[in-house]
């Protein structure tokens, strides 16, 4: 199992004017809940998944800033699908991904 380039992604996120709130396995949760990032098998690529409840017009600019910051360090942000946070018990959530 290879290490994920979390430091590089943190640099990208901060350059885009955002912050990371939590990283778990291959997912990176940002301080806002409009989208999250997912590592891929390619260390130079991350996938952006948009929250199904987010306004696409609002997050478009944020994603473009993130893509530009990634390009500046020779990484690529690709667009994934959508995700929904589903409560599961008192202290748990499940993330459902869709195209």
């Amino acid at each position: 199992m290879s290490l994920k380039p979390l430091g590089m992604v943190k640099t990208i996120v901060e350059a885009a004017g955002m912050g990371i709130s939590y990283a778990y396995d291959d997912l990176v949760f940002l301080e806002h809940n409009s989208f999250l990032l997912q590592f891929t098998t390619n260390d130079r690529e991350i996938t952006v998944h948009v929250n199904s409840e987010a306004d696409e017009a609002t997050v478009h600019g944020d994603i473009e800033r993130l893509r530009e910051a990634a390009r500046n360090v020779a990484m690529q942000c690709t667009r994934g699908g959508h995700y929904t946070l589903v409560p599961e018990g008192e202290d748990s959530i499940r993330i459902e991904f869709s195209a």
Side-chain angles (χ1 to χ4, degrees):
M1 182 172 133
S2 67
L3 294 174
K4 307 295 183 197
L6 183 59
M8 180 68 71
V9 170
K10 183 177 187 284
T11 299
I12 292 166
V13 169
E14 290 175 350
M18 301 172 218
I20 293 175
S21 64
Y22 187 70
Y24 178 77
D25 195 31
D26 66 340
L27 299 175
V28 178
F29 297 85
L30 303 183
E31 289 176 346
H32 58 76
N33 198 28
S34 299
F35 56 90
L36 60 80
L37 308 176
Q38 184 175 30
F39 291 106
T40 67
T41 56
N42 178 348
D43 286 346
R44 306 304 291 171
E45 178 183 15
I46 52 175
T47 302
V48 179
H49 297 280
V50 176
N51 188 322
S52 60
E53 297 177 2
D55 178 36
E56 288 280 342
T58 302
V59 299
H60 179 75
D62 290 339
I63 292 173
E64 286 306 310
R65 282 197 320 276
L66 194 67
R67 283 182 168 162
E68 180 64 29
R71 279 191 293 271
N72 289 337
V73 293
M75 282 193 74
Q76 180 179 359
C77 284
T78 58
R79 180 67 190 262
H82 290 87
Y83 73 95
T84 303
L85 298 175
V86 179
E88 209 171 67
E90 279 188 39
D91 298 327
S92 300
I93 59 166
R94 182 178 71 244
I95 303 171
E96 294 181 351
F97 292 95
S98 60

